Amino acid sequence: MFDGMQRRIVSMWFPRLPTDRALRLCPIDAPFALSLRHGNTDRIHDLNRQAETQGLHRGMTISEARVYCSDLRTRQADPVGDRRFLTGLRRWALRYCPWVGIEDTDGLTLDISGAAHLFGGEEALLADMRARLDRAGIEVRLGLADGRGAAWALSHFGEGIAAPVASETALSSLPVAALQIEPDTIIALQRFGLNSIGALAAAARAPLGRRFGPGLLTRLDQALGRQSESITPLTEPPHYAVRLTLPEPIGLTADVMAGLERLLQALCAKLKAHEAGARVLCLTLLRVDQHSQTVPLRLAAAMRDPARILPLFVRGIEDVDSGFGIDQLRLAATVVEPLPLQQIGQDIATPEQLDNLITRIGTRIGLDNIRRFQPLDSHIPERSFQLVPVADSQPRKGWLTQRQRPLRLFPPEPVTARGSTPPERFRWRRMSLSTGRAIGPERIAPEWWVEDDGWRSGIRDYWRVETHQGRRLWMYYTPQRPAWFVQGEFP
């Protein structure tokens, strides 16, 4: 983004995404609902508008729903398929801007800064989005504002466009639920008479912070554009395919093998860069008459060595009918498995060679600046190791631990979250993250015989939290002084 450009965010909310996806595959002109099993009961996971007009709602049991609507059609929900469908919509949304992120399980967030003029302005851009999704049978609600929080509030509680630097005016009449805060906080604010964002923004901040914590004020500032909120786009998976276009058609087996050798070298280099190996390869030969032939190859184990793979194609290529000639070759790894790099030698260097290397480096930067980690007997994470000069110490064993520890350890950093269990959504380092899986807790008590200001908050309950955004964090909760912190990150 260029300096001085006004940031503009679009929030796409698909209120009936699972139902719309199911009805695209098999249209039904009747009350329709998707069911999901909770415990021993099938409940409504999502429903179409016709079912909603019959008095049905999400969370209702299927047996109760049939009492209200006897002609209700149901089908089993597929959350995994819905997630893949949302990922496909994210790729489709890249036609509008290159910065697209997924919001929860039913929305997208687009940073269209500097892109709206390509579609005739912001109103024309939203109209194009809505028209294309309507033709696809997908219901959508759109909001556009300067920040992510304001755009989300508009899409969920009042579709529209907030003029630049006017988020507070556009959101003033919306309910406080548009701030994405906890239901208990919403009820408490309503009891104080703070029903709208405008009323909340006009209230004194200090009492709000003391009563509800910093999370409420953070959400308010994000919605009003006083605090920025980042968008984390998904990284595209690597594409393991290469092609070669020939200036003249070929037909001899030797010529095809020579072209395949070049393709294998490029493909295996890409596989090595991602520490992956191919299990199934497919060579496509395109002839000048636009007909194509494929030569599949299945491998017994993951490979990425061109010299080993090339001879395995000979038999399949000999059976190919080249016709009037082949002018294009395409090689793709259709099934890929992890294949990490391995150390094939026993010793990297002898002790004498290592001492000489340390000496040469020490003459430049000083021997005391070359250090190694040594284990210490302490259950406190940050006191379980020490740094000592290499020249004055010997490598020690004793790094065994019954608990997995993060590769990166840093001073505790506060997290915007509440509750004693890992939060479903939280903010860390200006990133909005959502919990996918949490393992724990592991309770660690302070060493009472050591003075440490960092442990004055008492015992800590550590969790290994894997987020939907790819971060694997080591978080802890302090029950005696309720708060959440991040202290490490797993690879």
Side-chain angles (χ1 to χ4, degrees):
M1 188 183 303
F2 297 102
D3 294 338
M5 181 182 296
Q6 181 64 43
R7 193 181 188 208
R8 300 293 280 169
I9 306 297
V10 172
S11 174
M12 281 187 179
W13 178 39
F14 308 104
R16 306 178 194 276
L17 182 67
T19 302
D20 290 342
R21 171 177 168 268
L23 293 178
R24 275 167 52 86
L25 301 175
C26 183
I28 296 176
D29 187 15
F32 176 78
L34 293 173
S35 64
L36 199 61
R37 196 162 190 83
H38 294 271
N40 296 324
T41 307
D42 287 330
R43 296 183 178 273
I44 294 180
H45 175 67
D46 196 26
L47 67 170
N48 65 355
R49 194 174 296 277
Q50 289 175 271
E52 203 170 54
T53 56
Q54 298 290 327
L56 309 186
H57 57 83
R58 293 177 179 86
M60 177 184 287
T61 63
I62 296 297
S63 57
E64 183 183 0
R66 294 194 185 280
V67 174
Y68 288 89
C69 182
S70 58
D71 58 341
L72 177 67
R73 308 280 187 87
T74 61
R75 195 180 302 167
Q76 193 70 22
D78 180 15
V80 176
D82 296 336
R83 184 70 180 183
R84 288 198 299 265
F85 186 63
L86 183 61
T87 303
L89 288 175
R90 188 200 71 85
R91 289 196 296 268
W92 166 80
L94 291 173
R95 70 188 313 275
Y96 296 104
C97 64
W99 207 255
V100 183
I102 290 180
E103 188 78 41
D104 294 328
T105 59
D106 55 2
L108 300 175
T109 306
L110 297 79
D111 190 339
I112 63 165
S113 306
H117 70 281
L118 301 175
F119 299 86
E122 294 177 347
E123 293 185 2
L125 175 64
L126 297 190
D128 184 75
M129 292 178 178
R130 187 176 287 106
R132 291 178 182 274
L133 290 169
D134 285 345
R135 287 197 297 270
I138 302 172
E139 183 178 348
V140 65
R141 297 182 185 177
L142 303 171
L144 195 158
D146 293 339
R148 181 178 178 179
W152 187 94
L154 287 173
S155 65
H156 286 69
F157 292 88
E159 285 190 282
I161 300 176
V165 200
S167 296
E168 186 168 355
T169 303
L171 303 182
S172 60
S173 60
L174 298 184
V176 291
L179 296 177
Q180 305 180 65
I181 54 181
E182 299 294 332
D184 294 342
T185 305
I186 296 173
I187 296 173
L189 289 172
Q190 291 173 345
R191 288 174 179 171
F192 286 113
L194 302 175
N195 298 312
S196 65
I197 295 178
L200 184 63
R205 293 176 63 89
L208 290 175
R210 287 194 298 268
R211 176 65 178 81
F212 300 101
L216 175 63
L217 298 179
T218 299
R219 285 296 187 187
L220 179 63
D221 291 340
Q222 289 171 350
L224 300 183
R226 300 169 184 169
Q227 183 174 335
S228 62
E229 192 172 5
S230 62
I231 299 175
T232 305
L234 296 181
T235 56
E236 294 292 337
H239 183 59
Y240 299 110
V242 290
R243 69 174 59 191
L244 175 64
T245 302
L246 304 170
E248 295 291 338
I250 61 175
L252 299 177
T253 300
D255 295 337
V256 176
M257 293 294 292
L260 176 60
E261 183 178 7
R262 294 179 57 183
L263 293 178
L264 274 173
Q265 291 175 353
L267 180 62
C268 290
K270 185 180 294 187
L271 289 169
K272 184 178 180 180
H274 292 88
E275 297 191 12
R279 281 297 302 271
V280 178
L281 294 165
C282 183
L283 174 65
T284 303
L285 306 173
L286 185 65
R287 305 189 317 197
V288 294
D289 57 1
Q290 300 305 310
H291 290 284
S292 63
Q293 293 190 4
T294 59
V295 181
L297 176 63
R298 298 183 62 186
L299 303 173
M303 293 185 189
R304 58 166 178 257
D305 186 357
R308 295 173 59 191
I309 298 175
L310 182 62
L312 304 177
F313 272 102
V314 173
R315 184 174 180 179
I317 293 177
E318 289 177 345
D319 296 335
V320 169
D321 179 12
S322 60
F324 294 102
I326 298 168
D327 61 357
Q328 188 179 101
L329 290 78
R330 184 179 186 273
L331 180 64
T334 56
V335 178
V336 176
E337 293 182 358
L339 187 61
L341 299 174
Q342 297 181 353
Q343 177 65 40
I344 59 176
Q346 295 294 327
D347 296 319
I348 299 177
T350 63
E352 293 77 11
Q353 291 174 327
L354 185 59
D355 291 339
N356 292 337
L357 175 62
I358 294 174
T359 301
R360 289 197 301 269
I361 298 176
T363 56
R364 294 175 178 269
I365 64 174
L367 285 175
D368 291 339
N369 294 322
I370 306 175
R371 302 181 180 184
R372 64 160 53 100
F373 288 96
Q374 297 279 31
L376 289 179
D377 186 13
S378 175
H379 65 275
I380 302 299
E382 56 267 32
R383 291 204 291 268
S384 62
F385 63 89
Q386 65 176 346
L387 276 172
V388 297
V390 172
D392 300 331
S393 63
Q394 294 295 327
R396 286 174 51 191
K397 298 182 179 179
W399 290 99
L400 299 178
T401 177
Q402 296 180 350
R403 301 281 186 172
Q404 186 177 358
R405 293 291 182 258
L407 185 62
R408 295 180 55 206
L409 198 67
F410 41 78
E413 299 175 357
V415 167
T416 304
R418 300 178 66 181
S420 59
T421 57
E424 294 184 2
R425 294 178 56 83
F426 60 93
R427 288 189 58 79
W428 173 63
R429 292 184 178 178
R430 297 185 178 182
M431 293 183 292
S432 180
L433 304 175
S434 57
T435 300
R437 186 176 68 164
I439 303 174
E442 175 193 354
R443 175 159 289 187
I444 297 180
E447 296 175 340
W448 55 267
W449 59 91
V450 177
E451 286 290 336
D452 190 345
D453 293 338
W455 282 80
R456 291 187 181 277
S457 57
I459 59 176
R460 300 176 179 178
D461 290 338
Y462 281 87
W463 296 77
R464 289 173 19 221
V465 176
E466 298 181 4
T467 66
H468 290 294
Q469 290 74 22
R471 298 278 189 170
R472 303 177 68 241
L473 306 178
W474 203 41
M475 303 175 60
Y476 70 83
Y477 174 74
T478 52
Q480 296 170 321
R481 297 183 183 179
W484 279 93
F485 298 87
V486 176
Q487 192 178 359
E489 188 169 8
F490 294 91

